[in-house]
């Protein structure tokens, strides 16, 4: 089981929106050196919605090649069409990804029975370890704890990223899913308490900007060192908030450009950070010691 600080990696782009391979190499090295536990490639923060299938597979393959076994790579392969999710997950397996992260189908609003059928079909088609991803604020679809528990019966469904920010779900999820099913927070603001309450780590946007400090936070929380974990989280709290002053990944891509690790590139319909918010993000980076 992967545990700890997992980065929801940006997909770096140039000014016209083309994937920046040199920047991607810098980012992978940045996380290896910082001790990040794993990389999620082409998830929500990686702008999966605006990469076509060929680009999507190419970025996953490049991350695997750049990681070169130094850090696990979890491929974002979710889609709102089951057939597309199978194709992306199969591609991730073929290029050597360690696991797949599968967001609930967005926009078409499946029932709980539909979610079970969707995830079973992907797991049956591809043997790669698979992590479910529930983010109803983006998808208009909520994967309920009881449905998650049903899916734990599928051998290669190994975990859940819960981005609801609802800490009251955690005890129920742990009770229903058992101790060996990985539970990751997908919400930086509540991630510390999630781990202190029995979660296994955080798939984090903040980790792009402050990976060493996020590693320290996760290590402390998973060791049950509440006071130390809360102190580190307090240092990061402004950054957790600032990276969502506009839709993710707008602020974090600005932050990575400010660090000199990526160019100022993003794809429509997302636009570059509004100048009025730059001071907020910069101040939060400074408080976290990232700038």
């Amino acid at each position: 089981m992967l545990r700890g600080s997992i980065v929801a990696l940006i997909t770096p782009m140039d000014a016209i929106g083309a994937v920046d391979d040199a920047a991607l190499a810098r980012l992978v090295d940045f996380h290896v050196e910082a001790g990040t536990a794993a990389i999620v490639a082409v998830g929500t923060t990686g702008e999966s919605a605006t990469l076509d299938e060929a680009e999507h597979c190419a970025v996953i393959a490049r991350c695997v090649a750049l990681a070169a076994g130094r850090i696990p790579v979890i491929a974002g392969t979710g889609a709102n069409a089951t057939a597309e999710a199978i194709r992306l997950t199969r591609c991730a397996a073929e290029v050597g990804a360690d696991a797949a992260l599968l967001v609930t189908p967005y926009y078409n609003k499946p029932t709980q029975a539909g979610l079970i059928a969707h995830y079973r079909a992907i797991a049956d088609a591809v043997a790669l370890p698979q992590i479910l991803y529930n983010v109803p604020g983006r998808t208009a679809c909520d994967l309920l704890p009881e449905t998650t528990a049903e899916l734990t019966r599928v051998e290669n469904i190994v975990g859940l990223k819960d981005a609801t920010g609802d800490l009251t779900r955690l005890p129920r999820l742990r009770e229903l899913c058992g101790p060996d099913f990985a539970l990751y927070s997908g919400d930086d603001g509540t991630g510390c308490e999630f781990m202190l309450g029995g979660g296994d780590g955080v798939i984090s946007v903040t980790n792009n900007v402050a990976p060493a400090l996020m590693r320290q936070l996760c290590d402390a929380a998973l060791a049950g060192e509440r006071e130390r974990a809360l102190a580190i989280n307090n240092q990061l709290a402004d950054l957790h908030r600032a990276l969502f002053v506009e839709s993710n990944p707008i602020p974090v891509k600005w932050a990575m450009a400010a660090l000199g690790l990526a160019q100022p590139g993003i794809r429509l319909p997302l636009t570059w950070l509004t100048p009025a918010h730059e001071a907020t993000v910069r101040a939060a980076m400074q408080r976290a010691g990232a700038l």
Side-chain angles (χ1 to χ4, degrees):
M1 180 193 296
L2 285 171
R3 303 183 85 231
S5 180
I6 301 169
V7 63
L9 193 71
I10 67 164
T11 298
M13 298 173 182
D14 64 20
I16 61 171
V19 176
D20 183 345
D21 187 71
L24 190 60
R26 286 195 297 273
L27 294 177
V28 172
D29 287 343
F30 183 54
H31 286 286
V32 171
E33 292 163 9
T36 298
I39 287 170
V40 170
V42 203
T44 304
T45 307
E47 293 177 81
S48 57
T50 53
L51 270 64
D52 65 32
E53 283 191 38
E55 290 176 314
H56 197 127
C57 289
V59 173
I60 293 168
R62 188 61 180 145
C63 283
V64 171
L66 291 166
R70 298 176 296 162
I71 186 172
V73 175
I74 302 167
T77 60
N80 62 345
T82 304
E84 181 182 357
I86 289 171
R87 289 194 300 271
L88 291 171
T89 306
R90 186 171 286 132
C91 171
E94 289 170 352
V95 301
D98 296 279
L101 178 68
L102 291 142
V103 70
T104 54
Y106 41 87
Y107 187 76
N108 44 14
K109 300 174 72 171
T111 64
Q112 298 301 300
L115 289 170
I116 290 170
H118 171 79
Y119 283 121
R120 281 188 178 276
I122 301 165
D124 287 346
V126 189
L128 193 67
Q130 294 171 25
I131 300 166
L132 313 175
Y133 175 14
N134 189 34
V135 56
R138 279 187 177 263
T139 63
C141 173
D142 189 3
L143 181 69
L144 298 178
E146 293 75 15
T147 306
T148 304
E150 177 70 23
L151 289 165
T152 65
R153 300 179 185 180
V154 181
E155 184 177 3
N156 56 325
I157 294 179
V158 299
L160 168 71
K161 175 184 176 181
D162 186 307
T164 64
D166 181 1
L167 292 170
T168 66
R169 286 195 176 206
L170 178 58
R172 181 67 172 154
L173 283 165
R174 183 57 77 201
E175 175 190 5
L176 290 170
C177 298
D180 297 327
F181 190 75
L183 295 176
Y184 305 111
S185 171
D187 178 66
D188 279 309
T190 58
C192 180
E193 287 292 350
F194 188 94
M195 289 182 289
L196 288 169
D200 296 299
V202 182
I203 298 177
S204 166
V205 176
T206 299
N207 196 344
N208 282 278
V209 181
L213 203 56
M214 279 298 299
R215 168 67 187 269
Q216 293 174 38
L217 167 62
C218 292
D219 286 351
L222 291 173
E225 299 173 6
R226 172 173 284 274
E227 187 172 330
R228 179 168 173 258
L230 291 175
I232 298 168
N233 193 59
N234 185 56
Q235 186 178 350
L236 288 164
D238 286 350
L239 190 56
H240 294 333
R241 288 188 291 268
L243 293 179
F244 287 87
V245 292
E246 292 183 15
S247 298
N248 178 47
I250 292 171
V252 70
K253 294 202 90 172
W254 182 91
M256 298 311 288
L259 290 174
L261 291 170
Q263 298 185 63
I266 200 163
R267 286 192 182 178
L268 289 171
L270 299 182
T271 53
W272 202 239
L273 185 69
T274 305
H277 287 141
E278 290 180 6
T280 299
V281 180
R282 185 181 297 278
M285 293 171 68
Q286 290 170 338
R287 183 167 183 220
L291 192 63

